[in-house]
Amino acid sequence: MRADLSLQQAPPFSVPARFLVSAPLFGILAALILLWNGPEIISHRWTPEILAVTHFLTLGFLAMSMLGAMLQLLPVLMGMIIPRPIFFSSLVHTPLFLGSLILGMAWLLQVDKLFIIAAALLSLSFTVFIVVVAERLLRSANRHVTRSMMLLALLALFITAALGITLSMGYGWQSFPLARQLTDLHLSWGLFGWVLLLIISVAYQVIPMFQITDEYPVLHQRLMGWTVFVAMLNLSMAYLWQLENLKTISIALLAVCLMVFALATLWLLHKRRRQLVDTTMRFWQLAMVSLLLLTSCWLLTHLINIELSIFLYGVLMINGFAMTTINGMMYKIIPFIIWLHLSVHNKNLRNKDKRDSQVKVPHMRKIIPEAAGLWQFRFHLVSVILLIVATQWPFWFFYPAALALAASQTFLLFNLLKAVRFYNTRLNELSTII
Amino acid sequence: MNIREFMSKDHKDCDMLFAKAENAASTGDWETAGQACNEFIQAMNRHLGFEEQGLFPAFEEATGILTGPTEMMRMEHDQMRSLFVEMNDALEKQHSDDYLGAAETLLIMMQQHNMKEEQILYSMMDQRLSEDASYWQQKFNDWEKQ
C-alpha cells in the first residue's frame, strides 16, 4: 500500500531545469550551422551538415526537453517517484548533452572516432533513462491510458536509439557495415513512435486539465497508441522486406492517426471552457495545424503525384509539430515549478515562525511575463513559416529561415534563463533569512 | 456514485466556476468576475473543508497513516488558499495581469492536486473507509448547510 502513496511533490528544480535550458542551446546551434553552410546543404537528401542539424534538433532539443519534462511530469501524472533524482538526472543529462554535441561534431568534422564516442554516451543516457522510468511505470498503480502510451513511447525510443547506434557504428568503424537502409526506419521510429506517442500521451492529460476542455473520446484514447504502434511495426516490416503496398498502407494509417489526433485536439480547444487564449494554447494550435499540413502534403503527393521536398516533412514534423508543442509546454512548466519551489521555501519560513521575513511569492506571469512568451511565439511562428517555404524555394528563403530559427531559439533561451535567474535571486533572499 | 465519482464531479463543477471568473476578468468585466470568483472560492472552501474535516480524518483513522498523502493534500490546500487571497487582492485593485497570473498558477496547482486525489487517494478511500459511499455523499450534500 505504501508504494501507492507516492503523492510527493515535484523533484528538485535543477532536475527539469537543466534539460529545458539546454534544449534551445541546440536549437541555436542548429540555426548557426544552417547559416554557416548555406542552402547547398539541402541540395540533396542527407548531407553530413543536414544530419548534424537534424540531430541537434531531435536529440539536443527534442529528446533533451522531453526527458526533462517527463522527469517533472511523471511524479504528478503517474504518481511515481524517481529515486535520487539529482544523481539520476545528471546520469541522463550529461551524456545526452555531450553525446548530442559530439554526434553533430562527428558529421561536421568528419572524424570517425567521434561517432563511437557519441554512440557510447547516448547509449548510456538512454539506457539509464529507459530502464529506470519503464520499471517505475510498470510498477505504478495508475491505470490511465497515458501510462501504457508512455511505455509504448519508451519502447519506440529504445528501438530508435538501437537503430541510431547501429548506424553510427557503421560511420565509426570501417569494418562495421553502414546499414543505410535502416535510416528511414530510425527516423520513423524516432518521430512517429517516440515523439508522437509521448506528445499524444501527455496531451490526453494536460489539454483537458489546463484548458478546461472535455476529455478526448474514450475510444480515441484507447485505440490511438496501439494503432500508431501497430502502424510502425507494419512500416518496419515494409522497410525491411521492401513491401511497397504495406508501406503505403502503414503510412496511410499513420496519416489517419495524425489527422484524427490533430482534429480532435483542435475541436476540444475550440470548445474549451476557458476563453482566455494563453500562449501555450497558441503553441498547441500551431502544432496541430502543422500536423494537418503534414498529412495534407502527404495526401497531395499521392493523389496528384506532385513532388515535394523531403525536408518539408521534416520541418513540419520537427519544427512545426514537436518543437512547437514542447516550446509551449515550457511556458507552463518552468514558471509553475519556480512558483511551487518558492512557495514551499516560504512555507518552511512560516513553520519556523519567521512570518515577517517571508518573501512574497510571485505568480507565474511575474516569472515569465505573458508578453515575453507571446512575442517568442510570434518569432517561432515566423521561423516555422519561413522554414516551410525555404524547403521549396531555398534560394530566396533559406537564410531568412535560418535567421528566424536562431532568433526564436535565442529568445526562448533568454526567457528561460531570465526565469532561472529570477528563481535563484529569490531563493538567495529566502536562504539568507533561513 | 462512489467517493471518487462524486468528489471528481465536484472538481469539475469548481473548474466551471473558475473558468467563468477568469473569462470575465480577461474581458475586464469586473462585476461578473467578482461574483463568479466569489462563488468559485466558496465552492472550493466547501470542497476543501469537507476533505479536511470529513474525509481525511476518517481515512487517517481507518489506515493509521497520519503523515502520508492527507498531510501532503492539506499542504497543497494551504498553497491554494494563498492564491485565493492573491486573486481577491487583484480583484479589488482590478489588476487584470495579477488576477490572471494568480488564477493560472492556481489552475495548475489545483489540477495536479485534483489528479492525485482522483487517481489515487479517492480510490483508496473507497476501499478503506468503513462507511459506504452514500453516507459520504449525503454528508457532502449537507456540508454547506453546516
Side-chain angles (χ1 to χ4, degrees):
Chain A
M1 193 61 132
R2 196 68 194 157
D4 299 342
L5 298 178
S6 38
L7 293 165
Q8 260 79 351
Q9 292 278 19
F13 179 65
S14 77
V15 169
R18 71 187 69 198
F19 288 90
L20 299 183
V21 171
S22 302
L25 287 174
F26 283 94
I28 296 170
L29 203 54
L32 292 179
I33 292 162
L34 290 175
L35 284 169
W36 181 262
N37 289 284
E40 18 335 324
I41 63 170
I42 57 166
S43 57
H44 65 271
R45 192 175 164 187
W46 298 125
T47 57
E49 293 81 6
I50 212 69
L51 283 167
V53 168
T54 310
H55 285 83
F56 283 149
L57 294 179
T58 52
L59 282 172
F61 188 98
L62 293 180
M64 182 73 75
S65 47
M66 285 159 73
L67 299 194
M70 268 181 101
L71 291 180
Q72 176 61 36
L73 294 174
L74 282 172
V76 179
L77 298 184
M78 293 289 109
M80 56 185 257
I81 302 171
I82 304 283
R84 303 181 66 191
I86 294 184
F87 173 72
F88 174 73
S89 62
S90 310
L91 205 56
V92 175
H93 173 265
T94 310
L96 177 60
F97 190 97
L98 293 175
S100 309
L101 199 61
I102 293 172
L103 185 65
M105 291 302 143
W107 272 302
L108 294 173
L109 307 173
Q110 296 288 315
V111 179
D112 291 351
K113 280 206 172 55
L114 291 182
F115 284 107
I116 312 284
I117 300 171
L121 287 166
L122 294 168
S123 310
L124 170 68
S125 173
F126 289 132
T127 308
V128 170
F129 185 85
I130 293 170
V131 168
V132 172
V133 174
E135 188 265 344
R136 293 277 141 170
L137 274 175
L138 285 169
R139 275 177 36 188
S140 164
N142 192 305
R143 286 291 170 267
H144 195 280
V145 67
T146 294
R147 175 178 168 271
S148 54
M149 282 189 81
M150 279 187 173
L151 281 166
L152 288 179
L154 282 181
L155 187 54
L157 174 64
F158 174 77
I159 297 170
T160 312
L163 289 167
I165 284 154
T166 312
L167 283 162
S168 61
M169 294 301 209
Y171 282 107
W173 264 312
Q174 300 299 331
S175 53
F176 199 94
L178 178 55
R180 278 189 196 278
Q181 69 278 15
L182 297 181
T183 306
D184 284 342
L185 214 49
H186 166 67
L187 77 90
S188 306
W189 274 103
L191 294 175
F192 297 104
W194 155 242
V195 172
L196 181 70
L197 282 173
L198 188 72
I199 290 179
I200 296 179
S201 72
V202 172
Y204 283 165
Q205 298 220 4
V206 299
I207 294 225
M209 283 198 307
F210 300 147
Q211 299 299 335
I212 314 187
T213 70
D214 288 336
E215 298 284 331
Y216 283 81
V218 175
L219 202 61
H220 173 126
Q221 292 195 37
R222 275 202 199 133
L223 292 179
M224 181 61 77
W226 288 104
T227 313
V228 169
F229 200 80
V230 167
M232 283 306 305
L233 286 177
N234 285 332
L235 190 65
S236 306
M237 287 193 283
Y239 277 128
L240 290 174
W241 289 293
Q242 316 282 326
L243 306 169
E244 278 308 310
N245 285 343
L246 185 62
K247 187 177 159 191
T248 312
I249 293 169
S250 312
I251 294 178
L253 190 57
L254 273 178
V256 170
C257 289
L258 294 182
M259 207 172 256
V260 167
F261 171 65
L263 289 172
T265 306
L266 287 172
W267 176 250
L268 286 180
L269 289 175
H270 175 66
K271 304 289 282 181
R272 74 197 186 281
R273 309 295 192 286
R274 268 186 108 188
Q275 282 158 20
L276 184 76
V277 182
D278 65 13
T279 308
T280 303
M281 150 106 177
R282 291 176 208 267
F283 277 103
W284 274 114
Q285 286 172 320
L286 173 61
M288 295 308 123
V289 170
S290 299
L291 274 191
L292 289 179
L293 277 175
L294 179 78
T295 44
S296 312
C297 288
W298 181 82
L299 269 178
L300 269 182
T301 51
H302 280 79
L303 292 178
I304 54 174
N305 221 6
I306 55 163
E307 195 67 27
L308 290 170
S309 161
I310 180 76
F311 295 114
L312 175 63
Y313 296 100
V315 163
L316 285 170
M317 188 66 193
I318 296 170
N319 300 75
F321 168 65
M323 286 176 73
T324 303
T325 309
I326 290 163
N327 195 336
M329 293 274 291
M330 283 176 177
Y331 286 134
K332 288 267 186 267
I333 294 174
I334 286 279
F336 179 70
I337 57 180
I338 288 179
W339 176 84
L340 191 64
H341 286 286
L342 288 178
S343 67
V344 170
H345 281 286
N346 233 20
K347 188 179 182 310
N348 292 341
L349 284 182
R350 198 159 44 215
N351 290 345
K352 291 185 177 180
D353 276 339
K354 293 188 176 176
R355 198 173 279 266
D356 299 339
S357 318
Q358 287 182 66
V359 175
K360 191 170 171 0
V361 177
H363 57 68
M364 287 168 64
R365 285 188 176 210
K366 286 203 167 129
I367 298 168
I368 297 183
E370 191 68 2
L374 183 59
W375 273 102
Q376 194 263 322
F377 168 77
R378 289 173 181 147
F379 274 71
H380 176 73
L381 174 66
V382 170
S383 80
V384 171
I385 294 170
L386 286 173
L387 282 165
I388 290 170
V389 288
T391 61
Q392 300 305 307
W393 299 285
F395 181 76
W396 294 102
F397 295 105
F398 184 90
Y399 284 110
L403 267 178
L405 178 64
S408 157
Q409 292 297 303
T410 310
F411 203 157
L412 174 61
L413 181 66
F414 174 78
N415 282 346
L416 297 181
L417 284 178
K418 216 173 148 201
V420 172
R421 194 162 156 251
F422 184 95
Y423 170 75
N424 286 331
T425 315
R426 290 293 170 118
L427 195 65
N428 281 340
E429 287 172 30
L430 286 167
S431 305
T432 50
I433 297 166
I434 293 173
Chain B
M1 274 204 272
N2 57 27
I3 294 174
R4 188 176 61 79
E5 286 163 347
F6 77 77
M7 289 301 278
S8 302
K9 186 187 166 295
D10 197 55
H11 283 160
K12 293 271 174 287
D13 293 345
C14 290
D15 288 351
M16 296 304 145
L17 294 170
F18 170 91
K20 194 176 160 193
E22 190 190 53
N23 294 343
S26 67
T27 54
D29 179 357
W30 291 107
E31 202 183 322
T32 313
Q35 283 167 2
C37 185
N38 206 13
E39 260 183 88
F40 165 69
I41 292 174
Q42 268 182 9
M44 285 297 290
N45 279 331
R46 170 177 177 248
H47 185 99
L48 305 183
F50 175 68
E51 287 180 339
E52 288 173 357
Q53 293 153 44
L55 284 174
F56 291 176
F59 178 79
E60 285 156 0
E61 202 182 305
T63 58
I65 305 171
L66 297 175
T67 53
T70 47
E71 186 193 23
M72 181 62 73
M73 294 297 106
R74 282 194 172 94
M75 194 185 112
E76 294 189 355
H77 287 178
D78 282 348
Q79 287 174 316
M80 288 193 255
R81 287 189 179 104
S82 73
L83 288 164
F84 297 161
V85 174
E86 269 194 63
M87 285 160 73
N88 268 331
D89 282 353
L91 265 179
E92 270 175 32
K93 291 175 192 150
Q94 302 200 347
H95 195 298
S96 149
D97 207 50
D98 276 352
Y99 182 85
L100 297 175
E104 184 176 21
T105 315
L106 174 70
L107 178 65
I108 301 186
M109 181 74 226
M110 182 170 78
Q111 296 294 359
Q112 56 121 22
H113 171 85
N114 291 355
M115 177 178 234
K116 293 178 206 169
E117 290 184 338
E118 289 173 20
Q119 295 192 2
I120 303 175
L121 190 58
Y122 291 156
S123 303
M124 289 168 71
M125 286 176 172
D126 276 316
Q127 289 164 15
R128 302 294 290 267
L129 297 190
S130 46
E131 302 87 355
D132 64 23
S134 58
Y135 163 83
W136 288 109
Q137 189 168 10
Q138 189 55 49
K139 199 165 174 170
F140 183 56
N141 291 340
D142 296 340
W143 195 259
E144 56 202 325
K145 293 167 200 155
Q146 288 183 4

